[in-house]
Amino acid sequence: MSTGFSSSSSRFADYFVICGLDTESGLEPDELSGENFEQSPLRRTFKSKVLAHYPDNVEWNPFDQDAVGMLCMPKGLSFRTQTDIRGPQFHSFIITREDGSRTYGFALTFFEEVTSKQICSAMQTLYHMHNAEQYDILHTPPTPRSPEDTRSTPQQLLAAPSLSRLQRFNSYDISRDTLYVSKCICLITPMGFAHACRRVLEQLHQAVTSPQPPPLPLESYVYNVLYEVPLPPAGRSLKFLGVYGPVVCQRPSTAELPLFDFPLQEVFELLGVENVLQLFTCALLEIQILLYSQHYQRLMTVAESITALMFPFQWQHVYVPILPASLLHFLDAPVPYLMGLHSNGQDDRTKLELPQEANLCFVDIDNHFIELPEDLPQFPNKLEFIQEISEVLLAFGISSEANPQCSDGQSKLRGFRSGDMASDKRNGNLAGSPLNSYLLRENQTIARLQALVKRTGVSLEKVIIPPSLMQCDEEELKKHQLNIHVREVFANRFTQMFSDYEVFVIQPSQDKEAWFSNRDQMQNFDKASFLSDQPEPYLPFLSRFLETQMFASFIDSKILCHDDEDKEHTLRVFDSRVDKIRMLNVRTPTLRTSMYQKCTNIDEAIEMRLYKIDHTALHPHLLDMKIGQGRYEPGFFPRLQSDVLSSGPTSNKWAKRSAPAQWRRKDRQKQHTEHLYLDNDQREKYIQEARNLGTTLRQPKLSDLSPSVIAQTNWKFVEGLLKECRNKTKRMLVEKMGREAVELGHGEVSITGVEENTLIASLCDLLERIWSHGLQVKQGKSALWSHLLHYQESKEKRDATPAGLSPPERRKSDAGCAMPPLKVSLIQDMRHIQNISEIKTDVGKARAWVRLSMEKKLLSRHLKQLLSDHELTKKLYKRYAFLRCDDEKEQFLYHLLSFNAVDYFCFTNVFTTIMIPYHVVIIPSKKLGGSMFTANPWVCVSGELAETGVLQVPKNTLEITFECQNLGKLTTVQMGHDNSGLYAKWLVECVMVRNGITGHTYKFPCGRWLGKGVDDGSLERILVGELATNTTETEDRMCRTPPMQQSPGMMRRFVTISPNSKPKLNTGQIQEGVGEAINGIVKHFHKPEKERGSLTLLLCGEYGLVWALEQVFQHGFKSPRLFKNVFIWDFLEKAQVYFESTEQSQMTQDENWQMRVRHFCHFMRAINSTPRNIGKDGKFQMLVCLGARDHLLHHWIALLAECPITAQMYEDMALLKDHSLVNSLIRVLQTLQEFNITLEASLVKGIGI
């Protein structure tokens, strides 16, 4: 039958393998598998060998003896006696090649009697030695010693558990016991047809163990499956004959989800829906995942299921569902991995020494339990999603909770149905109701479930074809149906979430070659725009997911495929579904709702394929064998005749043997797109280079593990970590710099608060991975924190000795600075974190410490100091650890140093409820005698999160330290005095405030008088501040020359103190100033909410709106006498008097005008009657802020421009008298109308409007 594939792609199986005990080499203990010799010999592991494999080699899939040997029998050989349970065990495994492509293995392990006398006597000798050792260890005379006398009382058993129990269960006496050893037969196949392979192997094993020999020699069946059974073509089913019965396999078409042949039902029964979803979330976020079970097949089923449910995304990192015992050192791999660890069933979780748990998801499959890393975000719409999956499971009669009973073999319900109903040929009416009424009478809960399922609208009725017509048993069909239903529900989540992802893909401007070479630097997806369209609750998950390797690779493959032919299978299927959703959602594609949309797309192609088989392979037949070949002893699986199995038939219709190997490889890749992503040379090259950003290993080399191989692997890890660190720091800087560049007016805004948090969290994970690479002994869950604690302890010991007293190190700063910076102390920063009671875990403390160090711009410096204690590092880390590779470590610290170029508030913004000490210093002007000042000053500090309330400041020191809940970034300081004493006039230069934990110092410039009868008569002022930079150059510069930037009060000071020095701004400059101020406010509101800076700064800060309008009103203002100042407020008060008198005299003006006048007078009266002692400029500031808040400024400007008072008090050239200028000013101010301006409490205190 011609299927049109070349031989490479079309054979069902590539190899048949036999593994087991090599009697020539005898018993070799398997040191690598880590079993200790306290175990009794029957429980130890011994080396297994690949005894035979047929054919010798296949060019498109070279035979990897080490890998196959390790994975067929991951624990090596095991021995049993006739008293043990010796049922055959099936498991599957995967071999991942360098290029990311996979081969599947399916192995059946069973026990055979040991016939070799040498092996039996060797085992007996081991037992004698073992018993003697145990006796010496125990010294307990009451314990029986001879293997026969094994009955003992419970008390004795408890007294000497190690001996008597071992002897009861594991004794071996050559004269009395029969010894059995494990053997394994295995098929290596290009695709994962688990069910079909299992049937083939079970039937072969049955042929050897059944009393009657099979109809044909075993060679005929093996030959048939290797050479005469093709892979079914896409979208077709195939039937071939095993030893005793037909085997059916079917393959999805190119429009369906990729092939997946493991039972999802088992995964949900073992873990429960909630846990499966949490594990799924961890996998999507590329968190390290360790599966733990004593059943190899469970490890494989869970791993394959989780990766299959990720469709259309693919796991990009280390993937070893069954980690052979000899590769345990791989658990300290500092990269994301998904690995399965075999448990021996005796040790509990606490005995397990895992190198790193800071970012680990640990899944104990047999105990139905999962440990999650901290801060795991929720999967979007998690509850509705769980509900939908549960409904599908209920429809198939499966509970959504983890179900310990079901996990062992088949659930009762399933066993009953397949047994009692499938055998009853009259059951043709089964199509009517999937859950038989007899069962419903027996079980009330199922009746209730079915009623619920009917209501939810999931219906099984339509999919059931009478089993008598089916080509596979009902059990198998139900497994397929359930798999399809559940996978569709999962796939539907992604098609809904990413239905408009194509819009955000950034197509490269250069050609492919250039794109490949710059792949690391390129952004391939507009994350910020995509996230800004998403519902708020999705953001924590999505912002982290968009940073993963799997998402980047998915988008890369999208960029590489221009037309549909080019697309890899997954992408094609996904895109066609996304198109379908778009057709359904006629509403605008960008308006996302968080409405949960259920899956409606269930494909029933499988039933049709199984109902009518498309192809039938050649039946097994006699081969050309010599007489006497092919006979063997019953009960033993023989070595087969290699001459007949070494090559296939020459004239096979579907074997195009002439095709050169490279074409065959290509063809195999094309057909393999279901789980490979290679199509042409470029993409192959791309896979090698671009996709492995720091993850060059998909699977460890399963070869002889010499120290040099292990060293090389670790070297790869070190290089990978360094590369990842370089990419992460670069990404974080580009985002941050990008944003700061925007504030300077370049480019577009990109990073959001969520995204910054995501990047910092991923940096913390990277640091944890670096710190747990090559650890000698693990202590606590966080390797980084544990290292810090060791350092703290040794440092404190050293500091306790008087010799170690060194002056505390301070950052360089100008000696005359009013507030010397905090000293740099790693230990002090640790103590701050240790004092925060809200942080309970080591992982949390390490993350908080990293955030604090980032905010203080000390991360690189602190880590350098930590690693400068070489003795400690040597004590804690193995030679190959990253932290002991000097060059890499230096580069790593250098990359971290680059974070100092930008300001992070990643500590202040996250730990919002902690108590923080603040230090406030008021700096009076040196020139004008602050020393005579007699009144009592006070301050009130406000930040983005809270404000302090009024704090009295001692007038002799003018500084105060207090502790209060985190205020966030500081925005304003209100300060004033009580006007008491003889000399209550005070000229204040500025106020400095420092956060005692982060060291951030804010400067609030003032430059004005506080006192009655001086300046504008103000007793209190609101100062707006900014973060003062801490670097030496700027401090030096500030000390020598006037500040580069003028503080908010600066312009006003020139205006009010000496009118002669007025900076004369012309109308053009004033208009520009107003435009800039308004522009700043507009930009502020266009940023995502989490991103906005301080609005107060834009209103009242330097060159803010208040300053700009001040310039407008001061332009052309008549000053009556040289030394008497007239303030804008005086003008506004006169205007108010005028308006009030016109209102009284009932002048006929339109409604609008009267309305505006009423508002203006109302605000003026309210501000004038405030109990606060703010001066005239303070009142003007308040009026502007309130006018901006209530969108009245442009009305007031119009009123004042028309007012006769203006004519009296302004020169003719004044801006307020120029109609066209006033109109343009009004238009600019009108743009504020669309924004909802909320004023900080400190700006409007004491005003009840």
Side-chain angles (χ1 to χ4, degrees):
M1 49 175 262
S2 173
T3 60
F5 283 112
S6 74
S7 59
S8 61
S9 60
S10 64
R11 279 178 26 178
F12 179 80
D14 288 339
Y15 296 99
F16 179 76
V17 186
I18 306 172
C19 296
L21 168 66
D22 182 3
T23 43
E24 268 88 83
S25 62
L27 282 186
E28 286 183 72
D30 192 357
E31 306 94 7
L32 278 174
S33 68
E35 289 293 330
N36 51 10
F37 286 99
E38 282 95 74
Q39 295 269 32
S40 75
L42 276 181
R43 288 287 168 268
R44 288 180 203 164
T45 51
F46 298 91
K47 279 187 184 161
S48 65
K49 296 269 169 71
V50 174
L51 302 176
H53 60 95
Y54 315 99
D56 270 345
N57 206 27
V58 177
E59 56 192 304
W60 59 85
N61 180 8
F63 188 74
D64 184 341
Q65 180 131 342
D66 292 319
V68 172
M70 269 190 195
L71 292 168
C72 277
M73 307 184 94
K75 276 271 196 209
L77 296 173
S78 41
F79 286 89
R80 298 280 182 275
T81 63
Q82 74 283 353
T83 55
D84 298 299
I85 305 161
R86 302 189 308 279
Q89 290 286 321
F90 172 80
H91 78 271
S92 30
F93 57 85
I94 245 177
I95 297 175
T96 313
R97 286 192 209 75
E98 299 270 308
D99 63 0
S101 60
R102 294 172 168 187
T103 303
Y104 286 84
F106 299 97
L108 186 73
T109 308
F110 46 87
F111 284 89
E112 285 184 351
E113 191 178 327
V114 178
T115 48
S116 153
K117 290 279 175 284
Q118 289 100 319
I119 301 286
C120 292
S121 51
M123 183 57 79
Q124 177 80 62
T125 312
L126 285 173
Y127 253 100
H128 286 320
M129 286 158 63
H130 175 70
N131 286 350
E133 278 165 28
Q134 289 298 316
Y135 182 71
D136 292 344
I137 292 167
L138 288 168
H139 289 304
T140 43
T143 317
R145 231 197 113 198
S146 77
E148 279 82 11
D149 182 11
T150 50
R151 285 184 214 84
S152 40
T153 64
Q155 284 80 12
Q156 281 177 319
L157 277 181
L158 289 171
S162 23
L163 181 56
S164 47
R165 278 191 196 168
L166 284 173
Q167 289 191 337
R168 294 263 309 268
F169 300 116
N170 306 333
S171 60
Y172 172 65
D173 179 352
I174 198 163
S175 57
R176 183 195 65 189
D177 294 321
T178 315
L179 191 61
Y180 292 87
V181 67
S182 55
K183 186 180 242 179
C184 168
I185 52 177
C186 165
L187 281 173
I188 304 288
T189 66
M191 298 185 77
F193 291 111
H195 187 76
C197 292
R198 182 173 190 157
R199 305 248 342 220
V200 171
L201 294 171
E202 282 172 349
Q203 293 189 22
L204 282 171
H205 176 241
Q206 195 185 337
V208 177
T209 50
S210 67
Q212 261 63 47
L216 294 167
L218 289 179
E219 281 83 355
S220 296
Y221 300 105
V222 174
Y223 183 89
N224 180 251
V225 87
L226 284 179
Y227 299 111
E228 294 171 332
V229 177
L231 277 177
R236 301 299 173 93
S237 49
L238 168 79
K239 181 157 106 179
F240 60 96
L241 286 185
V243 185
Y244 295 110
V247 178
V248 174
C249 62
Q250 50 86 32
R251 183 167 157 195
S253 72
T254 48
E256 295 171 56
L257 294 176
L259 174 68
F260 172 73
D261 196 25
F262 291 84
L264 280 173
Q265 168 169 356
E266 192 181 330
V267 179
F268 285 106
E269 284 176 342
L270 285 165
L271 294 174
V273 177
E274 167 91 22
N275 282 342
V276 170
L277 195 52
Q278 297 285 43
L279 171 57
F280 177 66
T281 309
C282 289
L284 288 170
L285 299 179
E286 295 181 345
I287 284 165
Q288 291 179 327
I289 295 173
L290 186 62
L291 309 173
Y292 190 60
S293 168
Q294 41 181 331
H295 304 277
Y296 294 122
Q297 187 56 14
R298 282 185 186 175
L299 294 173
M300 184 72 178
T301 301
V302 173
E304 282 289 280
S305 301
I306 289 300
T307 49
L309 291 175
M310 287 177 179
F311 170 90
F313 303 102
Q314 277 137 348
W315 180 259
Q316 298 293 324
H317 299 276
V318 174
Y319 182 69
V320 192
I322 296 172
L323 185 67
S326 51
L327 289 185
L328 284 185
H329 64 277
F330 240 82
L331 288 174
D332 78 355
V335 290
Y337 57 65
L338 202 168
M339 302 208 226
L341 187 61
H342 183 259
S343 82
N344 56 12
Q346 277 108 44
D347 292 353
D348 61 346
R349 158 79 178 92
T350 48
K351 299 251 178 60
L352 204 57
E353 275 291 312
L354 298 174
Q356 53 194 45
E357 297 176 58
N359 197 33
L360 180 74
C361 169
F362 180 83
V363 186
D364 187 342
I365 300 175
D366 304 337
N367 295 317
H368 325 289
F369 145 82
I370 177 168
E371 272 174 38
L372 296 166
E374 293 177 29
D375 313 331
L376 185 70
Q378 291 273 19
F379 190 79
N381 293 112
K382 182 177 160 193
L383 296 175
E384 295 94 325
F385 191 22
I386 287 180
Q387 174 72 20
E388 186 180 7
I389 302 166
S390 307
E391 285 165 8
V392 172
L393 294 175
L394 289 177
F396 284 86
I398 298 161
S399 157
S400 56
E401 297 296 314
N403 188 345
Q405 289 76 41
C406 295
S407 50
D408 299 333
Q410 310 284 13
S411 65
K412 293 210 180 82
L413 167 69
R414 297 185 313 178
F416 179 72
R417 274 172 59 198
S418 47
D420 295 52
M421 291 163 18
S423 59
D424 182 356
K425 290 286 178 278
R426 289 163 307 177
N427 245 342
N429 63 359
L430 213 84
S433 157
L435 291 167
N436 189 293
S437 58
Y438 171 69
L439 277 181
L440 296 183
R441 281 203 305 282
E442 291 296 301
N443 188 335
Q444 288 307 304
T445 56
I446 291 184
R448 285 205 298 280
L449 292 185
Q450 195 190 22
L452 169 69
V453 166
K454 276 220 172 83
R455 284 205 301 282
T456 57
V458 177
S459 139
L460 288 185
E461 265 93 66
K462 61 181 189 303
V463 297
I464 295 203
I465 292 167
S468 49
L469 304 176
M470 268 300 173
Q471 296 289 329
C472 74
D473 62 357
E474 190 202 350
E475 196 53 58
E476 184 61 10
L477 174 65
K478 194 180 128 206
K479 187 191 91 175
H480 282 311
Q481 286 171 340
L482 175 67
N483 277 7
I484 290 288
H485 272 71
V486 173
R487 289 175 69 200
E488 288 290 2
V489 168
F490 274 80
N492 177 54
R493 288 297 357 104
F494 289 123
T495 43
Q496 298 286 354
M497 253 188 279
F498 292 100
S499 58
D500 48 1
Y501 83 101
E502 290 183 52
V503 187
F504 301 99
V505 174
I506 301 170
Q507 289 296 344
S509 45
Q510 68 274 66
D511 60 287
K512 272 192 185 175
E513 271 305 304
W515 184 78
F516 278 135
S517 48
N518 298 319
R519 175 64 202 91
D520 288 11
Q521 283 81 40
M522 308 291 291
Q523 285 289 359
N524 61 5
F525 192 73
D526 183 356
K527 295 173 185 167
S529 308
F530 177 78
L531 290 173
S532 65
D533 276 0
Q534 302 301 318
E536 184 77 20
Y538 291 14
L539 294 179
F541 171 81
L542 281 177
S543 61
R544 279 182 66 176
F545 179 64
L546 298 190
E547 294 297 325
T548 57
Q549 190 64 47
M550 73 176 73
F551 185 76
S553 298
F554 173 73
I555 299 296
D556 284 350
S557 63
K558 177 75 182 168
I559 290 173
L560 285 170
C561 308
H562 295 300
D563 45 2
D564 266 6
E565 280 57 65
D566 220 15
K567 284 183 189 172
E568 36 184 76
H569 174 226
T570 7
L571 189 62
R572 200 166 44 236
V573 177
F574 184 69
D575 280 355
S576 68
R577 300 187 171 210
V578 163
D579 294 342
K580 233 184 245 172
I581 283 197
R582 285 222 200 91
M583 304 280 284
L584 290 172
N585 300 353
V586 190
R587 61 193 160 92
T588 51
T590 45
L591 273 179
R592 304 300 308 252
T593 65
S594 44
M595 276 285 295
Y596 188 83
Q597 292 171 326
K598 282 191 165 179
C599 172
T600 50
N601 173 30
I602 301 294
D603 203 319
E604 285 154 31
I606 286 190
E607 289 76 66
M608 299 323 295
R609 282 200 288 275
L610 293 176
Y611 180 51
K612 177 183 162 294
I613 296 291
D614 299 299
H615 302 277
T616 306
L618 284 175
H619 291 344
H621 51 85
L622 270 171
L623 301 172
D624 183 12
M625 289 163 70
K626 299 186 183 71
I627 294 176
Q629 284 186 338
R631 291 208 188 123
Y632 45 85
E633 223 178 315
F636 294 92
F637 202 96
R639 297 207 184 182
L640 304 175
Q641 300 299 319
S642 54
D643 51 348
V644 288
L645 293 177
S646 61
S647 64
T650 43
S651 62
N652 196 334
K653 270 191 273 182
W654 44 267
K656 292 190 283 195
R657 286 211 164 258
S658 57
Q662 78 223 34
W663 286 107
R664 268 212 285 272
R665 221 165 99 246
K666 278 253 164 64
D667 202 74
R668 170 160 185 267
Q669 291 167 357
K670 265 247 179 340
Q671 164 264 328
H672 243 57
T673 42
E674 297 170 28
H675 47 249
L676 298 200
Y677 332 117
L678 312 174
D679 206 33
N680 47 32
D681 295 338
Q682 267 186 322
R683 195 168 318 165
E684 198 167 317
K685 173 180 159 195
Y686 154 62
I687 288 254
Q688 304 287 307
E689 298 167 12
R691 191 171 270 154
N692 300 342
L693 289 182
T695 55
T696 35
L697 289 156
R698 294 294 178 81
Q699 178 173 314
K701 277 304 266 178
L702 303 177
S703 57
D704 258 358
L705 289 165
S706 59
S708 65
V709 171
I710 293 181
Q712 197 182 349
T713 304
N714 277 303
W715 185 242
K716 269 191 173 168
F717 282 149
V718 168
E719 287 182 322
L721 283 172
L722 191 61
K723 188 169 183 186
E724 193 180 345
C725 174
R726 188 171 62 239
N727 288 329
K728 275 217 165 57
T729 45
K730 190 163 181 184
R731 164 102 170 85
M732 288 169 74
L733 285 174
V734 165
E735 289 293 7
K736 197 76 176 161
M737 294 282 209
R739 173 164 99 205
E740 288 173 358
V742 170
E743 285 167 359
L744 298 170
H746 320 292
E748 276 307 306
V749 106
S750 61
I751 193 170
T752 66
V754 179
E755 199 169 356
E756 174 170 309
N757 253 336
T758 302
L759 291 172
I760 286 175
S762 76
L763 175 74
C764 293
D765 296 341
L766 173 65
L767 293 177
E768 283 294 358
R769 295 211 307 269
I770 287 176
W771 254 258
S772 45
H773 182 238
L775 255 182
Q776 297 273 18
V777 182
K778 183 171 154 291
Q779 296 156 326
K781 283 204 170 187
S782 162
L784 174 57
W785 190 248
S786 137
H787 191 170
L788 284 165
L789 289 172
H790 279 291
Y791 178 79
Q792 187 180 22
E793 192 184 325
S794 69
K795 188 103 170 97
E796 280 167 356
K797 269 187 201 147
R798 254 177 295 162
D799 291 355
T801 58
L805 285 177
S806 60
E809 180 195 359
R810 290 179 180 274
R811 288 183 161 175
K812 286 185 227 145
S813 74
D814 175 48
C817 180
M819 193 175 263
L822 289 175
K823 67 170 190 166
V824 176
S825 160
L826 187 159
I827 302 290
Q828 191 52 49
D829 286 350
M830 282 185 67
R831 290 202 190 108
H832 285 313
I833 301 298
Q834 286 160 328
N835 293 338
I836 299 176
S837 56
E838 286 90 334
I839 307 175
K840 305 277 191 273
T841 62
D842 285 358
V843 177
K845 286 176 182 157
R847 289 187 167 199
W849 182 84
V850 170
R851 284 174 177 279
L852 178 59
S853 307
M854 288 272 291
E855 189 161 323
K856 294 179 88 161
K857 302 191 178 184
L858 290 174
L859 183 61
S860 179
R861 187 166 173 175
H862 276 350
L863 292 177
K864 188 174 186 172
Q865 191 182 336
L866 175 67
L867 295 171
S868 62
D869 188 337
H870 297 299
E871 286 310 306
L872 180 61
T873 314
K874 270 189 192 154
K875 193 174 92 184
L876 297 177
Y877 288 92
K878 297 176 183 144
R879 181 65 203 90
Y880 64 74
F882 181 92
L883 297 178
R884 288 185 61 187
C885 302
D886 293 337
D887 288 356
E888 281 63 32
K889 185 175 74 185
E890 282 305 308
Q891 287 185 52
F892 156 71
L893 292 171
Y894 178 71
H895 288 310
L896 293 184
L897 193 60
S898 56
F899 286 136
N900 293 5
V902 292
D903 294 327
Y904 280 100
F905 288 90
C906 48
F907 180 83
T908 307
N909 291 344
V910 169
F911 298 100
T912 51
T913 56
I914 61 174
M915 298 301 284
I916 291 184
Y918 290 93
H919 184 62
V920 179
V921 179
I922 300 174
I923 301 171
S925 166
K926 297 189 184 75
K927 295 191 277 289
L928 299 158
S931 52
M932 293 142 42
F933 177 60
T934 55
N936 299 302
W938 57 266
V939 293
C940 167
V941 184
S942 310
E944 288 180 352
L945 300 173
E947 85 169 27
T948 57
V950 170
L951 304 161
Q952 297 299 328
V953 182
K955 59 171 173 262
N956 47 358
T957 61
L958 292 184
E959 52 184 283
I960 146 183
T961 301
F962 60 91
E963 194 174 48
C964 71
Q965 194 171 325
N966 186 353
L967 299 172
K969 285 187 211 169
L970 302 188
T971 50
T972 61
V973 164
Q974 301 153 64
M975 63 166 301
H977 61 77
D978 61 359
N979 201 29
S980 61
L982 293 172
Y983 190 77
K985 297 182 174 65
W986 196 26
L987 178 58
V988 175
E989 192 64 43
C990 65
V991 177
M992 307 288 284
V993 184
R994 183 174 64 206
N995 176 322
I997 292 184
T998 65
H1000 282 319
T1001 305
Y1002 293 82
K1003 184 175 183 182
F1004 296 87
C1006 175
R1008 305 286 299 263
W1009 285 91
L1010 286 92
K1012 291 282 183 207
V1014 61
D1015 202 337
D1016 65 347
S1018 173
L1019 291 185
E1020 63 175 273
R1021 295 196 182 280
I1022 298 164
L1023 310 179
V1024 180
E1026 286 197 84
L1027 192 60
T1029 46
N1030 233 342
T1031 52
T1032 43
E1033 312 89 273
T1034 52
E1035 275 166 3
D1036 292 348
R1037 192 176 66 214
M1038 281 175 151
C1039 298
R1040 289 198 206 101
T1041 58
M1044 297 275 289
Q1045 294 188 322
Q1046 291 174 318
S1047 54
M1050 210 50 109
M1051 282 289 190
R1052 275 173 254 169
R1053 192 169 80 204
F1054 289 141
V1055 173
T1056 49
I1057 294 180
S1058 52
N1060 308 341
S1061 65
K1062 274 188 191 177
K1064 294 267 192 252
L1065 295 184
N1066 61 33
T1067 50
Q1069 289 169 315
I1070 292 173
Q1071 277 183 294
E1072 196 181 323
V1074 175
E1076 283 294 307
I1078 298 285
N1079 208 5
I1081 296 171
V1082 171
K1083 274 187 181 168
H1084 169 89
F1085 283 102
H1086 278 293
K1087 290 182 193 175
E1089 202 162 326
K1090 293 209 168 70
E1091 275 315 287
R1092 299 173 181 170
S1094 159
L1095 185 58
T1096 309
L1097 204 56
L1098 298 172
L1099 291 169
C1100 312
E1102 87 169 326
Y1103 306 134
L1105 184 62
V1106 174
W1107 172 83
L1109 290 178
E1110 211 166 68
Q1111 303 311 307
V1112 169
F1113 282 107
Q1114 280 179 343
H1115 187 259
F1117 202 33
K1118 291 179 182 168
S1119 186
R1121 283 201 306 281
L1122 196 56
F1123 290 111
K1124 174 161 185 324
N1125 281 322
V1126 181
F1127 291 89
I1128 298 170
W1129 191 253
D1130 299 332
F1131 158 66
L1132 294 175
E1133 281 180 322
K1134 285 187 178 171
Q1136 177 197 352
V1137 171
Y1138 165 77
F1139 288 136
E1140 282 172 343
S1141 64
T1142 51
E1143 259 199 312
Q1144 300 307 313
S1145 62
Q1146 296 296 311
M1147 281 184 65
T1148 51
Q1149 285 277 11
D1150 66 354
E1151 264 303 299
N1152 261 349
W1153 187 84
Q1154 290 181 349
M1155 186 71 173
R1156 289 170 191 178
V1157 164
R1158 266 199 301 269
H1159 271 137
F1160 177 69
C1161 296
H1162 174 54
F1163 277 86
M1164 290 291 292
R1165 282 194 297 272
I1167 292 172
N1168 265 327
S1169 59
T1170 170
R1172 294 171 70 178
N1173 287 308
I1174 49 176
K1176 294 176 176 178
D1177 281 351
K1179 290 176 178 174
F1180 175 72
Q1181 173 170 299
M1182 204 177 263
L1183 183 72
V1184 173
C1185 291
L1186 289 167
R1189 183 191 72 182
D1190 296 350
H1191 307 135
L1192 297 169
L1193 285 178
H1194 54 286
H1195 295 324
W1196 293 346
I1197 294 278
L1199 272 185
L1200 293 167
E1202 301 295 317
C1203 174
I1205 304 293
T1206 311
Q1208 297 166 22
M1209 296 186 71
Y1210 281 86
E1211 316 271 0
D1212 289 344
M1213 41 59 84
L1215 190 150
L1216 276 179
K1217 288 189 174 181
D1218 183 324
H1219 281 299
S1220 62
L1221 290 180
V1222 169
N1223 285 337
S1224 73
L1225 177 62
I1226 289 172
R1227 277 200 302 280
V1228 172
L1229 288 171
Q1230 276 173 325
T1231 53
L1232 292 182
Q1233 279 183 281
E1234 56 186 287
F1235 304 117
N1236 190 2
I1237 293 177
T1238 313
L1239 298 178
E1240 201 175 307
S1242 59
L1243 296 178
V1244 290
K1245 231 185 224 165
I1247 298 229
I1249 305 180

